[in-house]
């Protein structure tokens, strides 16, 4: 059931990836790389998340994710900024969430090309609880430093707006998983794989 | 099954189970720092040993029965699990003790379960009266690699446990109408490190009082408990009463008798091991359930009644659980009776442990209290892993739901 949900989300994103960028590219030719000014972006993704530890459930849960980022250009084809986002998964009366925040850099290795690398460092916070918990029920929680790597492809729509798609992997480790505030597992890892479409200004 | 592994040699880390089973499996017979400890010397027979004798249709002798024994951690010889049919002679004991523990992955670590170990030490530990239980009521259940719920409906954590339990749960006599102290042995080992072995004489619900299983708001004062100083305990003894029989067998709304609904017993225990200072080392609360007891409580007379008699009521004869009898008339203790307490299952429920800084070996009194690291007169040897699973709501599933322990010759009292 989970894999079906993830598959549906992935299919939606795949449609977005295949339709939006091509229509955008049809409208806009490759352009010269920016080297100054600010930018912001929003994205939607199908994402799969999984905790890793001795007692952790081995299933990767798939759910929707959103992100927003803002920053400036550090050089030709080099964007840096801060980002924040969220992911969620619901299984019957139980919901998992992941919150993220951090700094991000996107580097176009070939000026003028839409292809770029993505890297980042930040925080991931995992929260999971019953949808209607008891008032004293704080559920599961996990907080850790997170590393992000990924690949993206810009499809400029005009001089200011760009759409694109990207794949990113967030990896966290050495966190402690808590349940009701008490530690239940140490050296816990968290990985999130995102297939996203995004819209960026400038 | 070979009969040789249930003879009465002393049992320790390298006792008969080690010799017969473990060496073959592992090539080693190592001492461990776990539950069993060193091989005790035989010091005598426990009160629980040798109390069974054949009657009615039983074909085994007492001597054959007493060959199934084990030496407890105290050096006393206790009865232990045996098959319902002696494999060497083919004779029948007329009772069964549940699932053969030979298949449990915990058997090597915990050894054969001595029946009556906590009863044996009740008074020596400071309790003011004895409490001894019959032989046939000791019932074993186990399951390997059960998937536990650690909270979050299995989305977050995944933990497997091996569980081996024994409760004295007699469902043939009026004992449990009033008497709430029953021996439980509970062994659990989990993949997250949670683990403990506890043997206690635990009070289940209020002494002298039973709870009507089909209407749990009804609590009945059934008399004086034995011993009269039995303390009240957590949980309850849910026992069928005549109102349940009336509702589901004699006058069901749809006219169809349903014995399983009427005769359901649920003994819901709530046990903890505590230190001298009151710190809770472990707690667990399994529910032990029976679908076919050979008794129920008659509210009108305040006495025991027999479900088999319902099979002779016009309109019920040959129906539901009475179907196999047809028009035959059998006694409550006949092997052909469909009511002999052989259909049982256990809800494992919660398992909590708080011993991250403590030793693994603790000695408590028979009630599981006044725990200390060193032995004392009347002390029961318990094993608790160095682990604190506070926050992990480690719940287990139901085990044994589809099993029946009926076997040739088995009959009430069982």
């Amino acid at each position: 059931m989970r894999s079906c949900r993830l598959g549906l989300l992935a299919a939606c994103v795949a449609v977005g990836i295949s339709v939006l960028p091509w229509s955008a590219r049809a409208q806009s030719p490759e352009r010269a790389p920016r080297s100054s000014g600010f930018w912001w972006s929003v994205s939607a993704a199908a994402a799969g998340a999984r905790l890793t530890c001795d007692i952790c459930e081995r299933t990767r849960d798939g759910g929707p994710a959103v992100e927003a980022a803002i920053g400036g250009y550090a050089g030709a084809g080099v964007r840096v900024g801060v980002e924040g986002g969220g992911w969620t998964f619901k299984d019957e009366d139980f919901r998992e969430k992941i919150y993220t925040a951090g700094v991000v850099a996107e580097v176009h290795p070939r000026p003028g090309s839409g292809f770029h690398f993505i890297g980042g460092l930040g925080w991931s916070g995992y929260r999971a609880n019953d949808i209607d918990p008891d008032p004293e029920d704080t559920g599961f929680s996990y907080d850790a430093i997170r590393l992000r790597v990924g690949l993206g492809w810009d499809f400029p729509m005009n001089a200011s707006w760009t759409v694109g798609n990207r794949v990113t992997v967030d990896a966290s480790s050495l966190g402690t998983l808590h349940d009701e505030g008490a530690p239940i597992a140490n050296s816990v890892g968290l990985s999130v794989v995102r297939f996203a479409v995004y819209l960026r200004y400038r | 099954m070979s009969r040789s592994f249930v003879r009465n040699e002393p049992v320790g880390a390298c006792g008969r189970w080690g010799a017969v089973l473990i060496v073959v499996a592992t090539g080693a017979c190592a001492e461990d720092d776990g539950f069993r400890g060193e091989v005790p010397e035989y010091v005598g027979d426990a009160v629980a040993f040798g109390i069974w004798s054949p009657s009615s249709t039983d074909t085994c002798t007492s001597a054959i029965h007493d060959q199934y024994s084990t030496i407890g951690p105290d050096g006393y010889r206790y009865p232990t699990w045996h098959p319902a049919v002696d494999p060497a002679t083919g004779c029948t004991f007329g009772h069964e003790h549940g699932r053969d523990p030979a298949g449990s992955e915990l058997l090597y670590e915990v050894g054969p379960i001595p029946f009556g170990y906590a009863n044996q030490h009740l008074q020596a530990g400071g309790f003011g009266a004895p409490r001894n239980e019959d032989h046939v009521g000791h019932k074993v259940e186990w399951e390997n690699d059960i998937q536990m719920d650690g909270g979050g409906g299995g989305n977050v954590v995944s933990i497997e446990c091996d569980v081996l339990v024994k409760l004295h749960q007699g469902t043939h006599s009026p004992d449990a109408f009033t008497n709430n102290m029953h021996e439980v042995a509970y062994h659990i080992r989990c993949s997250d490190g949670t683990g403990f072995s506890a043997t206690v004489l635990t009070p289940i619900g209020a002494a002298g009082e039973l709870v009507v299983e089909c209407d749990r708001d009804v609590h009945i004062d059934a008399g004086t408990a034995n011993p009269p100083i039995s303390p009240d305990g957590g949980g309850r003894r849910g026992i069928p009463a005549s109102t349940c029989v009336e509702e589901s067998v004699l006058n069901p709304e749809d006219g169809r008798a349903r014995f399983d609904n009427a005769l359901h017993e649920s003994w819901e225990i709530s046990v903890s091991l505590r230190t001298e200072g009151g710190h809770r080392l472990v707690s667990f609360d399994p529910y032990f359930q029976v679908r076919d007891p050979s008794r129920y409580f008659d509210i009108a007379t305040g006495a025991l009644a027999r479900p088999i008699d319902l099979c002779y009521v016009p309109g019920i004869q040959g129906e539901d659980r009475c179907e196999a009898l047809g028009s035959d008339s059998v006694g409550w203790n006949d092997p052909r009776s469909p009511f002999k307490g052989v259909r049982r299952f256990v809800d494992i429920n919660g398992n909590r442990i708080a011993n991250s800084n403590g030793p693994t070996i603790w000695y408590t009194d028979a009630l599981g209290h006044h725990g200390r690291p060193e032995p004392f007169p009347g002390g029961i040897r318990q094993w608790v892993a160095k682990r604190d699973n506070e926050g992990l709501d480690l719940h287990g599933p139901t085990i044994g739901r589809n099993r029946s322990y009926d076997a040739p010759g088995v009959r009430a009292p069982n």
Side-chain angles (χ1 to χ4, degrees), chain A residues 2 51 53-59 61 89 91 94 96 126 128 130 140 177 179-180 182-185, chain B residues 147 149-160 190-193 387-394:
Chain A
R2 288 182 202 161
L51 289 165
C53 67
D54 289 345
I55 64 170
C56 293
E57 169 60 35
R58 292 180 171 83
T59 306
D61 294 332
F89 168 76
D91 184 19
F94 190 77
E96 297 172 88
Y126 173 87
D130 292 332
F140 293 91
L177 181 63
D179 186 14
E180 305 303 325
I184 60 171
Chain B
Q147 189 67 44
D149 181 0
N155 286 289
V156 183
V157 297
S158 176
I159 297 170
E160 288 188 348
C190 300
S191 58
D192 74 315
R387 163 84 173 148
D388 189 336
N389 72 358
E390 184 188 6
L392 191 63
D393 190 17
L394 193 61

Side-chain angles (χ1 to χ4, degrees), chain A residues 62-131:
Chain A
V66 294
E67 278 189 336
I70 188 168
Y73 281 86
V78 179
R79 287 183 294 278
V80 295
V82 294
E83 53 83 14
W87 166 91
T88 188
F89 168 76
K90 176 177 174 290
D91 184 19
E92 297 182 349
D93 296 328
F94 190 77
R95 182 174 289 284
E96 297 172 88
K97 300 173 187 171
I98 295 173
Y99 303 102
T100 58
V103 295
V104 65
E106 299 178 357
V107 179
H108 292 251
R110 198 158 57 88
S113 168
F115 175 75
H116 58 274
F117 295 109
I118 302 166
L121 188 66
W123 157 85
S124 284
Y126 173 87
R127 305 288 182 269
N129 206 348
D130 292 332
I131 290 174

Side-chain angles (χ1 to χ4, degrees), chain B residues 174 177-178 208 210 220-224 241-242 296-305:
Chain B
F177 291 168
T178 55
L210 66 86
I220 294 175
D221 184 350
T224 302
S242 47
Y296 64 92
F297 184 79
D298 188 331
I299 294 175
T301 64
L304 178 147

Side-chain angles (χ1 to χ4, degrees), chain B residues 19 34 38-39 52 64 66 74 109 146 161 172 200 235 240 250 257 277 289 298-299 337 351 375 386 412:
Chain B
E38 296 178 0
V39 179
W52 179 86
I64 294 174
D66 291 346
D74 52 3
E109 186 171 347
I146 59 175
C161 299
H172 60 86
V200 296
L250 295 174
Q289 309 199 46
D298 188 331
I299 294 175
S337 169
N351 297 271
K386 283 180 178 287

